Amino acid sequence: MTADIRIRRRTLVLYSALLCLALLAFVSTNSSFQCSDTSGVGAGVSHTRGADADADPPSALPPLPRPQPLTHTRSGCVPRERQHDPDLPMIYAITPTYTRPVQKAELTRLAQTLMWLDNFHWIVVEDSDTKTPLVESFLLQTNLEYTHLVARTKKNKQLKPTARGVEQRNAGLDWLRKNLHNDDQLNGVVFFMDDDNTYSLQIFEEMRLVRKVGVWPVGLVGGMMVERPLVDSSGTKVLGFNSVWRPERPFPIDMAGFAINLHLLKKHPNAVFTHKVQAGYQESEILRQLITKDELEPLADKCTKVYVWHTRTEKPKMNEENKLRAKNPKGSNDGLEV
């Protein structure tokens, strides 16, 4: 065996030894980590540290809070358990809804915003004679605090055809008046929350400040980028509104642009919505029974921020579905809830 071959073999042995040492060091360093299946076979893997995992290193900065809205289980995702703070005003949001192809999609989008809120009660009112399985099942899965009601829209040729949501909002108001009585229960606001709008979490924190009626801008409504209250230089008094459509309305404001304190609502038991006014006047109808313009409270940084948008989901094109159902009445969603 030549000297050159012996040198090469020794070099190979040396490199092999170094590699083994490196692997042993890596395994030793990471031996404190372990993976365990906490929910049975296929339930998922959870990564945990050893016994001292909960102890912060001496020089470590305090960890930033990480909200966990969902808990993953074998059956799906369960929203987090919300906290109830007795000092935090409660929000009661009344949402009229009706059966249509996009109903579940709209409610899902809205619920995934609401699951981040504490001290929140959702009053969902269907335009129906009975509770539909879709909405009933959906609400049960949200893990939100809710009340499920039904109120069919009256069919009467003398009623204003474009005044929508009247019976449903009134049903929600009736439930509040029958179920909230003492001061603790009345520590909060009512908000008329349509299911096709888009809401920032900030708008809910704003409305908790309402003492009588709070108002704020609403984006993408009235044919404008934003409709908003016009306030004085101090930002504490509403002088008017920038609405262009029917500016003569007593309160030219969108349904998503105000919230009412529950104490004020309780003091006016007859304040309701009505079919006697035309579309666009429902907001004015309820507010005129409760307050004057001078008493409105500008919120959302003196009405300079937009935290809610009057979005509407595009009506889906069902041409092919209609053709399919002409041949097969069951349709493409046979056996599926969409």
Side-chain angles (χ1 to χ4, degrees), residues 89-322:
M90 194 78 173
I91 296 173
Y92 290 88
I94 299 175
T95 299
T97 189
Y98 63 98
T99 300
R100 60 199 192 277
V102 299
Q103 183 183 31
K104 187 175 181 180
E106 299 279 30
L107 292 173
T108 298
R109 178 168 57 90
L110 182 52
Q112 290 184 1
T113 296
L114 304 180
M115 68 172 58
W116 292 91
L117 301 175
D118 294 323
N119 288 33
F120 181 87
H121 189 109
W122 197 9
I123 303 174
V124 179
V125 191
E126 290 193 76
D127 187 351
S128 174
D129 292 318
T130 59
K131 297 177 182 178
T132 63
L134 185 150
V135 175
E136 199 165 22
S137 173
F138 170 81
L139 290 172
L140 189 63
Q141 295 176 36
T142 64
N143 203 35
L144 292 167
E145 182 179 324
Y146 70 90
T147 295
H148 185 191
L149 305 173
V150 294
R152 171 69 75 179
T153 298
K154 297 177 182 178
K155 293 183 179 180
N156 189 323
K157 293 181 179 180
Q158 296 180 349
L159 298 180
K160 302 292 182 181
T162 55
R164 298 173 56 183
V166 171
E167 285 83 3
Q168 293 75 39
R169 294 187 183 102
N170 283 342
L173 292 175
D174 184 61
W175 184 91
L176 288 172
R177 288 175 170 130
K178 288 180 178 178
N179 289 276
L180 306 182
H181 304 289
N182 60 51
D183 286 342
D184 289 339
Q185 293 175 325
L186 294 172
N187 178 27
V189 299
V190 58
F191 177 49
F192 301 104
M193 184 177 66
D194 289 352
D195 63 3
D196 57 353
N197 288 345
T198 302
Y199 305 90
S200 165
L201 291 174
Q202 184 62 37
I203 195 60
F204 299 101
E205 300 313 310
E206 292 285 323
M207 67 180 69
R208 295 189 201 273
L209 305 173
V210 172
R211 291 167 296 178
K212 287 188 176 181
V213 174
V215 294
W216 48 77
V218 178
L220 310 178
V221 68
M224 302 172 66
M225 284 297 294
V226 62
E227 278 190 347
R228 60 188 178 91
L230 303 175
V231 301
D232 64 4
S233 57
S234 69
T236 60
K237 185 178 179 62
V238 173
L239 302 177
F241 301 86
N242 75 331
S243 302
V244 175
W245 186 81
R246 299 287 178 89
E248 71 277 6
R249 289 174 291 163
F251 295 89
I253 190 173
D254 187 73
M255 195 70 70
F258 64 93
I260 303 168
N261 186 284
L262 289 172
H263 283 284
L264 181 65
L265 186 69
K266 193 73 173 180
K267 291 178 181 178
H268 298 81
N270 297 319
V272 295
F273 296 93
T274 177
H275 280 289
K276 295 180 180 180
V277 299
Q278 58 188 304
Y281 280 78
Q282 291 296 329
E283 298 87 349
S284 293
E285 177 62 20
I286 189 73
L287 290 176
R288 72 168 185 81
Q289 301 173 67
L290 299 171
I291 203 168
T292 66
K293 185 185 72 175
D294 292 338
E295 297 175 283
L296 295 175
E297 304 156 35
L299 296 174
D301 196 8
K302 303 176 182 180
C303 290
T304 63
K305 299 291 195 315
V306 178
Y307 297 131
V308 56
W309 297 263
H310 196 274
T311 51
R312 291 182 177 178
T313 300
E314 181 181 4
K315 186 177 181 180
K317 298 177 181 178
M318 307 295 285
N319 297 339
E320 300 305 321
E321 183 71 22
N322 294 333

Side-chain angles (χ1 to χ4, degrees), residues 19-34 49-50:
L19 180 60
C20 289
L21 289 172
L23 287 173
L24 287 171
F26 177 81
V27 172
S28 176
T29 302
N30 292 275
S31 63
S32 60
F33 288 87
Q34 60 182 356
R49 291 186 180 272

